[in-house]
Amino acid sequence: IKAAQNFDRRYIVIAPEWATDFCTANNIPFIPWDFIRLNDRSMEIATRLKEEGVDVAIPLFEETVEWSGAINSVLMDSPRMYGQSILFRDKALMKRRAQLGGIRVGIFEEAHEKDDIIRFMKRVNQTLLKLDGDPDDPIHVKAFDKAGCLGHRMIRTLEEIDLIPDEEYPLLMESHLSGWEFAVEAWIHDGKIQFLNISEYVTLGYSVFVPATKELESWRHAITKQIELLIKTFDIKFGLIHPEYFVTADGEMYFGEVAYRPPGFKAFELIEMAYGFNAYQASMLVFDPKSTKEEVAAFFPKEVEGAKGYAGCFGVYPRRRVVSKLEMPKETIEHPYFVSHELHEPTEETVPDRSAFGTHWGLVFFFGDDPITMRDLLKAQEDLDFYV
């Protein structure tokens, strides 16, 4: 909202009822909407926005991707846009579309019950010619339509399948890709990449920094080719995409998934720290059908060379079962790269069990001029206690 207020675009916020008081108090143009309800009135929101003169709906959260697709299909009179948004939400459909476009993906299937996962795990390991007594190759199970690590589990033994609650089905199952996982943020206008950032994961679910090290940046040409193939396969004309990939030891690139909304772990804020431009404004610019090519080209700095330094963040998970207070480690706050944190005092003493990858308790931000120092610093945070 702050980015929109400081930009030369008129905007309106569509959010659930709970945002009403905040938006009223701060004079923010606002329409309340119940995103959970799907019925004959769903068309109302698109019709009303069209009457208000809105040009485009921009999704900010995973759960609003198909809503914006449905709205844009009405605003832009392009029914296919709704179908496209479903591809970005349903991970199984997404992987099938990627496969049809000649993009490399691992083996994947849908699971509706426990027996499906057992069969899939046995088949994968049979395919890998595992013998009796060999440790099984792990598989991954994920929610069809949740963001990031939510609902994501790595299954190493058949016994772990019993730990998955019934309400988490149906799930997407996929083979394990051992490689270097990284993410991309690509702003697209008129079907072409305008700015491509490579975000380097130090540990998935814990830490990320931008720009990437020289080692990962050396893959930029190959990564760009993959993103261009993704744009063609998913028929993307504009907007921001956030795909994740794996590079294997022999240099093959495998597609993980793609999101059509801002990434988690405050990656937009990291990009702004590193490059100086507001990534939310960048998204408004490339989504806007009235933006000119010249306007878009003038907005973005040069990739990597245009960065002032390296920005990273670490997601904190309590390492103890019982905690009483937040205590920032000296090694963290006294490091010259430390910028700030958004951790709060614990509201309860017993730390809930982490289901799957779980949700971090808050982020710690760093900024400095050396990517290797940044990488080592983020890795070192995993051994520190922030909650004691």
Side-chain angles (χ1 to χ4, degrees), residues 252-268:
E252 287 292 352
M253 216 166 290
Y254 283 84
F255 170 73
E257 59 191 61
V258 58
Y260 197 61
R261 42 100 187 134
F265 264 70
K266 300 272 177 94
F268 270 19

Side-chain angles (χ1 to χ4, degrees), residues 149-361:
C149 292
L150 286 173
H152 176 185
R153 299 167 184 268
M154 188 192 271
I155 306 288
R156 289 186 171 86
T157 64
L158 292 173
E159 289 74 33
E160 288 174 31
I161 298 168
D162 291 330
L163 302 175
I164 303 171
D166 290 344
E167 62 269 17
E168 287 196 18
Y169 291 92
L171 292 159
L172 175 75
M173 309 175 283
E174 51 190 9
S175 56
H176 176 66
L177 293 172
S178 54
W180 192 355
E181 188 171 4
F182 63 91
V184 172
E185 288 76 39
W187 282 270
I188 297 154
H189 186 253
D190 204 17
K192 295 183 178 62
I193 299 168
Q194 304 300 320
F195 187 88
L196 188 150
N197 175 67
I198 302 169
S199 290
E200 183 160 337
Y201 293 142
V202 181
T203 303
L204 179 65
Y206 277 94
S207 43
V208 66
F209 66 93
V210 302
T213 52
K214 281 200 175 94
E215 200 181 347
L216 185 51
E217 279 292 343
S218 68
W219 294 96
R220 177 171 282 273
H221 179 71
I223 290 167
T224 303
K225 288 272 173 246
Q226 284 295 323
I227 302 299
E228 286 169 350
L229 181 56
L230 197 63
I231 290 168
K232 183 180 165 194
T233 300
F234 283 81
D235 194 24
I236 303 165
K237 296 287 186 283
F238 59 82
L240 160 95
I241 58 169
H242 165 59
E244 293 179 332
Y245 286 90
F246 294 85
V247 179
T248 54
D250 57 357
E252 287 292 352
M253 216 166 290
Y254 283 84
F255 170 73
E257 59 191 61
V258 58
Y260 197 61
R261 42 100 187 134
F265 264 70
K266 300 272 177 94
F268 270 19
E269 284 79 352
L270 297 181
I271 289 167
E272 185 166 2
M273 281 168 76
Y275 284 99
F277 74 86
N278 186 300
Y280 293 101
Q281 292 177 351
S283 297
M284 291 175 220
L285 188 67
V286 295
F287 267 98
D288 183 356
K290 293 177 180 167
S291 295
T292 64
K293 282 183 182 177
E294 296 73 24
E295 197 180 4
V296 173
F299 184 88
F300 292 103
K302 185 94 179 79
E303 288 114 329
V304 187
E305 292 169 30
K308 307 188 291 268
Y310 294 84
C313 73
F314 176 78
V316 173
Y317 301 88
R319 301 194 321 148
R320 304 181 182 199
R321 292 294 299 125
V322 177
V323 295
S324 60
K325 61 176 180 172
L326 166 67
E327 194 174 90
M328 293 298 291
K330 280 176 75 169
E331 300 95 317
T332 302
I333 55 177
E334 289 177 4
H335 196 283
Y337 282 17
F338 174 71
V339 176
S340 63
H341 73 84
E342 43 181 52
L343 300 173
H344 302 285
E345 290 293 339
T347 51
E348 52 189 312
E349 291 199 341
T350 306
V351 176
D353 281 333
R354 274 170 73 186
S355 138
F357 271 67
T359 304
H360 60 75
W361 282 34

Side-chain angles (χ1 to χ4, degrees), residues 33-45 63-64 66-68 70-71 82 86 89 145:
W33 191 254
D34 181 0
F35 292 99
I36 308 300
R37 189 192 65 215
L38 297 171
N39 60 19
D40 295 344
R41 288 187 53 207
S42 296
M43 191 70 175
E44 258 181 43
I45 189 71
E63 295 76 11
T64 60
E66 69 258 66
W67 276 99
S68 67
I71 290 166
Y82 177 58
I86 299 295
R89 283 284 280 141
D145 56 1

Side-chain angles (χ1 to χ4, degrees), residues 47-176:
T47 313
R48 182 170 170 192
L49 290 172
K50 198 163 193 174
E51 287 164 2
E52 298 260 2
V54 170
D55 293 310
V56 66
I58 304 175
L60 288 176
F61 299 99
E62 182 70 31
E63 295 76 11
T64 60
V65 167
E66 69 258 66
W67 276 99
S68 67
I71 290 166
N72 285 332
S73 65
V74 176
L75 296 181
M76 299 179 184
D77 195 24
S78 173
R80 208 179 288 267
M81 291 191 78
Y82 177 58
Q84 185 194 47
S85 70
I86 299 295
L87 288 178
F88 289 125
R89 283 284 280 141
D90 185 312
K91 289 190 171 84
L93 282 177
M94 177 196 297
K95 295 225 166 192
R96 285 199 178 87
R97 180 64 181 245
Q99 240 176 357
L100 287 170
I103 295 169
R104 293 184 75 121
V105 298
I107 303 168
F108 66 94
E109 275 180 37
E110 292 152 49
H112 295 276
E113 58 188 11
K114 187 173 89 174
D115 287 348
D116 293 339
I117 304 184
I118 294 169
R119 266 194 305 274
F120 179 76
M121 190 160 182
K122 284 182 173 172
R123 246 195 331 265
V124 166
N125 281 285
Q126 185 185 356
T127 310
L128 294 168
L129 305 180
K130 293 292 178 96
L131 301 172
D132 281 347
D134 288 348
D136 281 334
D137 215 55
I139 63 165
H140 295 257
V141 297
K142 295 177 177 178
F144 273 149
D145 56 1
K146 286 195 170 76
C149 292
L150 286 173
H152 176 185
R153 299 167 184 268
M154 188 192 271
I155 306 288
R156 289 186 171 86
T157 64
L158 292 173
E159 289 74 33
E160 288 174 31
I161 298 168
D162 291 330
L163 302 175
I164 303 171
D166 290 344
E167 62 269 17
E168 287 196 18
Y169 291 92
L171 292 159
L172 175 75
M173 309 175 283
E174 51 190 9
S175 56
H176 176 66

Side-chain angles (χ1 to χ4, degrees), residues 11-26:
Y11 72 97
I12 189 160
V13 174
I14 308 168
E17 288 280 355
W18 50 252
T20 306
D21 293 346
F22 178 83
C23 290
T24 307
N26 292 281

